[in-house]
Amino acid sequence: MKTIRILTLFFFFVSTVWSIEKGYFSGKSNEDFSSTITDIRNPNNNLGLGLLKVKKDGEDSTDDDDDSGANKKDDAKPKEADDKKATPETKTEKARIEEAKSLILRYESRGNASGENAILKLLQTHSIPEVRSEAASALGRLKTGLRTLHRAIETDGYLVRQAAYNSIANIGSQKSFKYFLKGSKSKYSEIRAASYKGLGKIRSSTGREIIITEGLKSEDIKVLGASLEGLGYYNVAEDRTIFKKYLESTQLELVMQALIGLSHHRSKESLDLIYKTLESKPNL
């Protein structure tokens, strides 16, 4: 009996060792582990879904935050870059304008052909309108470059056209008659004013008629004043009646323009009228 028990225990011991070596117990552990993994991945398992959902939400949320941050940076960076880029460009353009204006004054002060040619080139080729406008004004003061000024009126923008009109009015050439005629009907008062002044300087009978019938009827004080100045160049005695009317005006600008117009008469009667007006209006 005792021997049988000993044999039974021995057999159990041997069986246990053999089972361990064959991996039966580890197999069970693997099976439990596989079962656990299956439960986690099982779409019907609430815990598995919860875990997956949390992970998915976390990933989406992180991506949104990153995208949002990236977008904000992208939005901000170009703006900062533009601001930084715009400032030097603006300063550079202003510096270029001032430099060119100084250069034009130096060319103008030369009073020779080389200076005039340099200004003509600036009017024709410079990329900045303000510089071309200054060049056009300089040509008017020098009373030269009429053909180039005409071309600027035909092809350039308003800023340069206005300066060119003032210049051809200062020059006062018969060759500019068609430009004055067209300019007198411009929608811009500055161009109309220059045109009526120019019509006076060329002293054509047609120009005088246009000044009297159109320019002096303008409601724009700038155009009306320029028309008075233009009328004075004709030095017609009967026009003194017109000037007397405006010398009595309460608008000082019109009085001044009438005095300027009369000064072009260069007649004794007109000079007497000027002196009497200045005596009666010492505030001028």
Side-chain angles (χ1 to χ4, degrees), residues 103-263:
L103 194 61
I104 289 169
L105 288 175
R106 290 207 302 272
Y107 289 148
E108 188 177 351
S109 66
R110 289 181 184 177
N112 56 27
S114 65
E116 293 173 5
N117 289 334
I119 296 173
L120 284 169
K121 185 175 180 181
L122 286 173
L123 174 56
Q124 293 170 325
T125 64
H126 205 284
S127 60
I128 301 177
E130 287 83 354
V131 176
R132 298 198 302 276
S133 174
E134 185 65 26
S137 297
L139 291 174
R141 292 190 294 268
L142 292 171
K143 298 187 183 301
T144 189
L146 192 62
R147 185 180 300 175
T148 304
L149 290 168
H150 288 165
R151 190 178 302 114
I153 290 173
E154 294 170 353
T155 61
D156 217 321
Y158 166 71
L159 187 65
V160 181
R161 288 204 314 273
Q162 179 186 345
Y165 259 107
N166 286 330
S167 289
I168 65 172
N170 287 335
I171 295 171
S173 170
Q174 288 283 350
K175 295 178 181 178
S176 298
F177 177 75
K178 70 174 183 178
Y179 294 96
F180 294 141
L181 192 61
K182 183 178 180 180
S184 67
K185 295 175 173 54
S186 172
K187 64 180 179 179
Y188 301 108
S189 63
E190 293 85 356
I191 291 178
R192 292 201 307 276
S195 298
Y196 284 117
K197 178 183 175 181
L199 286 171
K201 292 197 78 171
I202 62 176
R203 295 181 176 90
S204 70
S205 57
T206 304
R208 181 173 178 274
E209 183 182 351
I210 293 172
I211 289 173
I212 293 173
T213 59
E214 297 178 20
L216 292 179
K217 291 182 180 179
S218 175
E219 296 180 357
D220 189 314
I221 191 170
K222 185 178 295 185
V223 175
L224 181 55
S227 299
L228 285 169
E229 182 178 355
L231 184 63
Y233 287 107
Y234 288 90
N235 194 14
V236 176
E238 62 187 71
D239 290 342
R240 282 197 291 272
T241 304
I242 298 175
F243 286 111
K244 285 180 181 179
K245 171 186 173 183
Y246 287 101
L247 288 174
E248 297 171 358
S249 173
T250 56
Q251 294 179 290
L252 292 181
E253 185 175 346
L254 290 179
V255 176
M256 289 299 298
Q257 290 299 112
L259 288 171
I260 292 172
L262 275 174
S263 68

